[in-house]
Amino acid sequence: MKVFEKLVFPNGSDIPNRIAKAAMEENMADINHAPSEELMRLYQAWADGGVGLIITGNVMVDRRAMTGPGGVVLENEQHLDTFKRWAQIGRSKGAQVWLQINHPGRQMQSNLGQDTWAPSAVALDLGKMSDRFNTPIEMNQDMIQEVIDRFANTARLGEKAGFTGVEIHAAHGYLLSQFLSPLSNKRQDQWGGSLENRARILIEIVKAVRAVVSESFTVAVKLNSADFQRGGFSAEDAQQVVQMLNGLAVDLVELSGGSYEAPAMQGQARDGRTLAREAYFLEFAQEIRKVAKMPVMVTGGIRRKQVAEQVIESGVDMVGIATALAIEPNLPHQWQQGQNTAPELQPIQWKNKTLASLANMATVKFQLRKLSLGKHPNPKVSPLWALILQQAAMARRTRLYKNQMRHYA
């Protein structure tokens, strides 16, 4: 089975198989924004389950810029020992472990009480829920340079903590993805306009990261295959960005798609395109594979062994699995033993797509919470109940975060 063959990256490091635990947002940091005991238990379950690569959920490069309260932040050495334990746990059974490093840009809820930065002052369009997000401040040159420096600093600290790599998050409508999209980047300077200019911050971050980590440290980029909004970042744009990354010692490109406005990563598009029920972005990945000089990984809805095999057979190098591993962390071992386990959640058929998307994320987080407490996941949980629990937890964490940030300031 090709899924269980070793993969060697351009930097010479390797992983034992082609299955990656793709990033999911856990919101399980401790009070100091460092990895909590629950998070350690969760990652032990994935390490024990047999994946070749573990990519963490969002690790933020700035505590003032969070994708949600309870997120992990790595911006100084204060809690480096805790991060070292997290890396050791992830690597305990032979997997590589990468920090997914991120900045939310305008995708930060207004109730967190922080200024939101973005390439341009373009607000999120989420219909009736748009007021949950502030209109962002257009970043000036100093802010852009600060973000570049912060990504490099977090990568440097990640290597010091014992992680084997980082994945720079330039997908899902977060800050770097906002720079790439002409819908959210209306700038007229060297950071906007042409695709080359819109991709400049990503390219500068990759260079800055590479300059402060060792050659054997893996540097990956997560990119949207498209953002599934008319006039947005297109599949052709994605190909051109990968060609720009070809010459920059990038060891892997992971392809996903979508944003808060069009959650294609959950199988929904806003531009009328229908996505397959599984391996949503495989066709895009096959096109990218034609131009990419580094390995390509595809993430999005994969939960069956035969689909994972099909992805690898098609020439894509790795499969990223998220939700299925939240339900069954032992999935790789089960597949290797010949079991055709295919974990899935009940589809959510609500009319309000934004609420359905939130409920879907809440249902996944419910499984992560169970695993983090050493309990069995419950994929049949009511999405409404999961959403209520999640909203209550988020409200509590938001109050904590705001209190903390008052002292931090």
Side-chain angles (χ1 to χ4, degrees), residues 373-394:
L373 297 170
K375 297 178 179 176
H376 289 293
N378 173 16
K380 293 194 162 52
V381 65
S382 147
L384 182 60
W385 177 237
L387 184 59
I388 291 165
L389 286 177
Q390 176 63 22
Q391 291 298 311
M394 289 288 268

PDB file of all heavy atoms in Angstrom, residues 373-394:
ATOM      1  N   LEU A 373      -9.557  14.355  27.220  1.00  0.00           N
ATOM      2  CA  LEU A 373      -9.878  13.921  28.583  1.00  0.00           C
ATOM      3  C   LEU A 373      -9.694  12.413  28.742  1.00  0.00           C
ATOM      4  O   LEU A 373     -10.078  11.829  29.753  1.00  0.00           O
ATOM      5  CB  LEU A 373     -11.323  14.315  28.927  1.00  0.00           C
ATOM      6  CG  LEU A 373     -11.598  15.828  28.938  1.00  0.00           C
ATOM      7  CD1 LEU A 373     -13.085  16.107  29.039  1.00  0.00           C
ATOM      8  CD2 LEU A 373     -10.848  16.512  30.081  1.00  0.00           C
ATOM      9  N   GLY A 374      -9.141  11.775  27.688  1.00  0.00           N
ATOM     10  CA  GLY A 374      -8.919  10.329  27.744  1.00  0.00           C
ATOM     11  C   GLY A 374     -10.192   9.528  27.541  1.00  0.00           C
ATOM     12  O   GLY A 374     -10.266   8.349  27.891  1.00  0.00           O
ATOM     13  N   LYS A 375     -11.223  10.162  26.946  1.00  0.00           N
ATOM     14  CA  LYS A 375     -12.512   9.485  26.742  1.00  0.00           C
ATOM     15  C   LYS A 375     -12.698   9.133  25.268  1.00  0.00           C
ATOM     16  O   LYS A 375     -11.950   9.593  24.404  1.00  0.00           O
ATOM     17  CB  LYS A 375     -13.665  10.378  27.214  1.00  0.00           C
ATOM     18  CG  LYS A 375     -13.607  10.672  28.708  1.00  0.00           C
ATOM     19  CD  LYS A 375     -14.745  11.590  29.116  1.00  0.00           C
ATOM     20  CE  LYS A 375     -14.703  11.871  30.616  1.00  0.00           C
ATOM     21  NZ  LYS A 375     -15.732  12.832  31.025  1.00  0.00           N
ATOM     22  N   HIS A 376     -13.738   8.333  24.986  1.00  0.00           N
ATOM     23  CA  HIS A 376     -14.030   7.959  23.603  1.00  0.00           C
ATOM     24  C   HIS A 376     -14.830   9.078  22.923  1.00  0.00           C
ATOM     25  O   HIS A 376     -15.762   9.613  23.528  1.00  0.00           O
ATOM     26  CB  HIS A 376     -14.846   6.659  23.546  1.00  0.00           C
ATOM     27  CG  HIS A 376     -14.044   5.454  23.929  1.00  0.00           C
ATOM     28  ND1 HIS A 376     -12.997   4.982  23.164  1.00  0.00           N
ATOM     29  CD2 HIS A 376     -14.119   4.636  25.015  1.00  0.00           C
ATOM     30  CE1 HIS A 376     -12.458   3.930  23.755  1.00  0.00           C
ATOM     31  NE2 HIS A 376     -13.118   3.698  24.882  1.00  0.00           N
ATOM     32  N   PRO A 377     -14.500   9.415  21.669  1.00  0.00           N
ATOM     33  CA  PRO A 377     -15.306  10.396  20.926  1.00  0.00           C
ATOM     34  C   PRO A 377     -16.747   9.896  20.745  1.00  0.00           C
ATOM     35  O   PRO A 377     -17.015   8.707  20.861  1.00  0.00           O
ATOM     36  CB  PRO A 377     -14.593  10.497  19.574  1.00  0.00           C
ATOM     37  CG  PRO A 377     -13.195  10.052  19.848  1.00  0.00           C
ATOM     38  CD  PRO A 377     -13.315   8.989  20.901  1.00  0.00           C
ATOM     39  N   ASN A 378     -17.634  10.850  20.451  1.00  0.00           N
ATOM     40  CA  ASN A 378     -19.041  10.505  20.190  1.00  0.00           C
ATOM     41  C   ASN A 378     -19.487  11.201  18.911  1.00  0.00           C
ATOM     42  O   ASN A 378     -20.028  12.305  18.947  1.00  0.00           O
ATOM     43  CB  ASN A 378     -19.914  10.936  21.378  1.00  0.00           C
ATOM     44  CG  ASN A 378     -21.400  10.755  21.082  1.00  0.00           C
ATOM     45  OD1 ASN A 378     -21.765  10.055  20.144  1.00  0.00           O
ATOM     46  ND2 ASN A 378     -22.243  11.403  21.868  1.00  0.00           N
ATOM     47  N   PRO A 379     -19.250  10.546  17.741  1.00  0.00           N
ATOM     48  CA  PRO A 379     -19.572  11.206  16.468  1.00  0.00           C
ATOM     49  C   PRO A 379     -21.072  11.444  16.261  1.00  0.00           C
ATOM     50  O   PRO A 379     -21.453  12.216  15.401  1.00  0.00           O
ATOM     51  CB  PRO A 379     -19.029  10.235  15.411  1.00  0.00           C
ATOM     52  CG  PRO A 379     -18.818   8.942  16.114  1.00  0.00           C
ATOM     53  CD  PRO A 379     -18.616   9.238  17.556  1.00  0.00           C
ATOM     54  N   LYS A 380     -21.910  10.822  17.074  1.00  0.00           N
ATOM     55  CA  LYS A 380     -23.366  10.991  16.915  1.00  0.00           C
ATOM     56  C   LYS A 380     -23.921  12.126  17.780  1.00  0.00           C
ATOM     57  O   LYS A 380     -25.127  12.292  17.902  1.00  0.00           O
ATOM     58  CB  LYS A 380     -24.076   9.674  17.249  1.00  0.00           C
ATOM     59  CG  LYS A 380     -23.782   8.566  16.241  1.00  0.00           C
ATOM     60  CD  LYS A 380     -24.729   7.384  16.383  1.00  0.00           C
ATOM     61  CE  LYS A 380     -24.733   6.501  15.141  1.00  0.00           C
ATOM     62  NZ  LYS A 380     -23.414   6.081  14.700  1.00  0.00           N
ATOM     63  N   VAL A 381     -23.029  12.898  18.392  1.00  0.00           N
ATOM     64  CA  VAL A 381     -23.488  14.008  19.233  1.00  0.00           C
ATOM     65  C   VAL A 381     -24.376  14.955  18.418  1.00  0.00           C
ATOM     66  O   VAL A 381     -24.155  15.152  17.217  1.00  0.00           O
ATOM     67  CB  VAL A 381     -22.278  14.775  19.824  1.00  0.00           C
ATOM     68  CG1 VAL A 381     -21.447  15.453  18.739  1.00  0.00           C
ATOM     69  CG2 VAL A 381     -22.724  15.798  20.864  1.00  0.00           C
ATOM     70  N   SER A 382     -25.388  15.539  19.053  1.00  0.00           N
ATOM     71  CA  SER A 382     -26.251  16.515  18.373  1.00  0.00           C
ATOM     72  C   SER A 382     -25.429  17.759  18.023  1.00  0.00           C
ATOM     73  O   SER A 382     -24.793  18.350  18.903  1.00  0.00           O
ATOM     74  CB  SER A 382     -27.409  16.897  19.298  1.00  0.00           C
ATOM     75  OG  SER A 382     -27.783  18.235  19.100  1.00  0.00           O
ATOM     76  N   PRO A 383     -25.428  18.173  16.749  1.00  0.00           N
ATOM     77  CA  PRO A 383     -24.674  19.381  16.365  1.00  0.00           C
ATOM     78  C   PRO A 383     -25.117  20.612  17.158  1.00  0.00           C
ATOM     79  O   PRO A 383     -24.296  21.454  17.509  1.00  0.00           O
ATOM     80  CB  PRO A 383     -24.976  19.549  14.876  1.00  0.00           C
ATOM     81  CG  PRO A 383     -25.409  18.198  14.411  1.00  0.00           C
ATOM     82  CD  PRO A 383     -26.060  17.530  15.577  1.00  0.00           C
ATOM     83  N   LEU A 384     -26.416  20.688  17.461  1.00  0.00           N
ATOM     84  CA  LEU A 384     -26.932  21.835  18.212  1.00  0.00           C
ATOM     85  C   LEU A 384     -26.346  21.840  19.631  1.00  0.00           C
ATOM     86  O   LEU A 384     -25.896  22.879  20.127  1.00  0.00           O
ATOM     87  CB  LEU A 384     -28.463  21.788  18.275  1.00  0.00           C
ATOM     88  CG  LEU A 384     -29.124  22.966  18.999  1.00  0.00           C
ATOM     89  CD1 LEU A 384     -28.774  24.290  18.327  1.00  0.00           C
ATOM     90  CD2 LEU A 384     -30.633  22.787  19.078  1.00  0.00           C
ATOM     91  N   TRP A 385     -26.309  20.667  20.262  1.00  0.00           N
ATOM     92  CA  TRP A 385     -25.748  20.559  21.612  1.00  0.00           C
ATOM     93  C   TRP A 385     -24.255  20.895  21.594  1.00  0.00           C
ATOM     94  O   TRP A 385     -23.770  21.643  22.451  1.00  0.00           O
ATOM     95  CB  TRP A 385     -25.996  19.155  22.154  1.00  0.00           C
ATOM     96  CG  TRP A 385     -25.403  18.883  23.509  1.00  0.00           C
ATOM     97  CD1 TRP A 385     -24.530  17.899  23.846  1.00  0.00           C
ATOM     98  CD2 TRP A 385     -25.650  19.602  24.726  1.00  0.00           C
ATOM     99  NE1 TRP A 385     -24.206  17.951  25.183  1.00  0.00           N
ATOM    100  CE2 TRP A 385     -24.875  18.994  25.758  1.00  0.00           C
ATOM    101  CE3 TRP A 385     -26.439  20.711  25.048  1.00  0.00           C
ATOM    102  CZ2 TRP A 385     -24.874  19.447  27.068  1.00  0.00           C
ATOM    103  CZ3 TRP A 385     -26.422  21.184  26.368  1.00  0.00           C
ATOM    104  CH2 TRP A 385     -25.659  20.548  27.356  1.00  0.00           C
ATOM    105  N   ALA A 386     -23.542  20.367  20.605  1.00  0.00           N
ATOM    106  CA  ALA A 386     -22.101  20.661  20.478  1.00  0.00           C
ATOM    107  C   ALA A 386     -21.877  22.161  20.310  1.00  0.00           C
ATOM    108  O   ALA A 386     -20.957  22.739  20.910  1.00  0.00           O
ATOM    109  CB  ALA A 386     -21.506  19.896  19.303  1.00  0.00           C
ATOM    110  N   LEU A 387     -22.753  22.796  19.529  1.00  0.00           N
ATOM    111  CA  LEU A 387     -22.622  24.243  19.275  1.00  0.00           C
ATOM    112  C   LEU A 387     -22.883  25.041  20.554  1.00  0.00           C
ATOM    113  O   LEU A 387     -22.147  25.988  20.867  1.00  0.00           O
ATOM    114  CB  LEU A 387     -23.589  24.677  18.170  1.00  0.00           C
ATOM    115  CG  LEU A 387     -23.505  26.139  17.710  1.00  0.00           C
ATOM    116  CD1 LEU A 387     -22.119  26.478  17.183  1.00  0.00           C
ATOM    117  CD2 LEU A 387     -24.549  26.448  16.638  1.00  0.00           C
ATOM    118  N   ILE A 388     -23.903  24.630  21.320  1.00  0.00           N
ATOM    119  CA  ILE A 388     -24.217  25.320  22.584  1.00  0.00           C
ATOM    120  C   ILE A 388     -23.033  25.205  23.550  1.00  0.00           C
ATOM    121  O   ILE A 388     -22.594  26.196  24.151  1.00  0.00           O
ATOM    122  CB  ILE A 388     -25.509  24.744  23.214  1.00  0.00           C
ATOM    123  CG1 ILE A 388     -26.732  25.133  22.358  1.00  0.00           C
ATOM    124  CG2 ILE A 388     -25.694  25.229  24.648  1.00  0.00           C
ATOM    125  CD1 ILE A 388     -27.987  24.353  22.666  1.00  0.00           C
ATOM    126  N   LEU A 389     -22.503  23.994  23.697  1.00  0.00           N
ATOM    127  CA  LEU A 389     -21.341  23.780  24.576  1.00  0.00           C
ATOM    128  C   LEU A 389     -20.150  24.621  24.127  1.00  0.00           C
ATOM    129  O   LEU A 389     -19.453  25.239  24.938  1.00  0.00           O
ATOM    130  CB  LEU A 389     -20.942  22.300  24.571  1.00  0.00           C
ATOM    131  CG  LEU A 389     -21.828  21.320  25.335  1.00  0.00           C
ATOM    132  CD1 LEU A 389     -21.304  19.897  25.141  1.00  0.00           C
ATOM    133  CD2 LEU A 389     -21.868  21.653  26.821  1.00  0.00           C
ATOM    134  N   GLN A 390     -19.920  24.627  22.814  1.00  0.00           N
ATOM    135  CA  GLN A 390     -18.785  25.355  22.255  1.00  0.00           C
ATOM    136  C   GLN A 390     -18.920  26.860  22.480  1.00  0.00           C
ATOM    137  O   GLN A 390     -17.955  27.526  22.853  1.00  0.00           O
ATOM    138  CB  GLN A 390     -18.676  25.027  20.754  1.00  0.00           C
ATOM    139  CG  GLN A 390     -17.597  25.782  19.997  1.00  0.00           C
ATOM    140  CD  GLN A 390     -16.196  25.473  20.496  1.00  0.00           C
ATOM    141  OE1 GLN A 390     -15.961  24.438  21.116  1.00  0.00           O
ATOM    142  NE2 GLN A 390     -15.280  26.383  20.270  1.00  0.00           N
ATOM    143  N   GLN A 391     -20.137  27.386  22.257  1.00  0.00           N
ATOM    144  CA  GLN A 391     -20.360  28.825  22.436  1.00  0.00           C
ATOM    145  C   GLN A 391     -20.162  29.228  23.899  1.00  0.00           C
ATOM    146  O   GLN A 391     -19.591  30.279  24.198  1.00  0.00           O
ATOM    147  CB  GLN A 391     -21.773  29.218  21.955  1.00  0.00           C
ATOM    148  CG  GLN A 391     -21.961  29.114  20.446  1.00  0.00           C
ATOM    149  CD  GLN A 391     -21.041  30.035  19.655  1.00  0.00           C
ATOM    150  OE1 GLN A 391     -20.944  31.219  19.943  1.00  0.00           O
ATOM    151  NE2 GLN A 391     -20.343  29.508  18.672  1.00  0.00           N
ATOM    152  N   ALA A 392     -20.626  28.362  24.824  1.00  0.00           N
ATOM    153  CA  ALA A 392     -20.454  28.643  26.253  1.00  0.00           C
ATOM    154  C   ALA A 392     -18.962  28.644  26.624  1.00  0.00           C
ATOM    155  O   ALA A 392     -18.486  29.529  27.346  1.00  0.00           O
ATOM    156  CB  ALA A 392     -21.211  27.606  27.084  1.00  0.00           C
ATOM    157  N   ALA A 393     -18.236  27.656  26.102  1.00  0.00           N
ATOM    158  CA  ALA A 393     -16.789  27.571  26.370  1.00  0.00           C
ATOM    159  C   ALA A 393     -16.068  28.787  25.793  1.00  0.00           C
ATOM    160  O   ALA A 393     -15.184  29.370  26.439  1.00  0.00           O
ATOM    161  CB  ALA A 393     -16.223  26.279  25.779  1.00  0.00           C
ATOM    162  N   MET A 394     -16.461  29.188  24.586  1.00  0.00           N
ATOM    163  CA  MET A 394     -15.826  30.342  23.932  1.00  0.00           C
ATOM    164  C   MET A 394     -16.106  31.628  24.719  1.00  0.00           C
ATOM    165  O   MET A 394     -15.224  32.482  24.855  1.00  0.00           O
ATOM    166  CB  MET A 394     -16.345  30.493  22.498  1.00  0.00           C
ATOM    167  CG  MET A 394     -15.861  29.420  21.547  1.00  0.00           C
ATOM    168  SD  MET A 394     -14.123  29.575  21.132  1.00  0.00           S
ATOM    169  CE  MET A 394     -14.259  30.572  19.644  1.00  0.00           C
TER     170      MET A 394
END
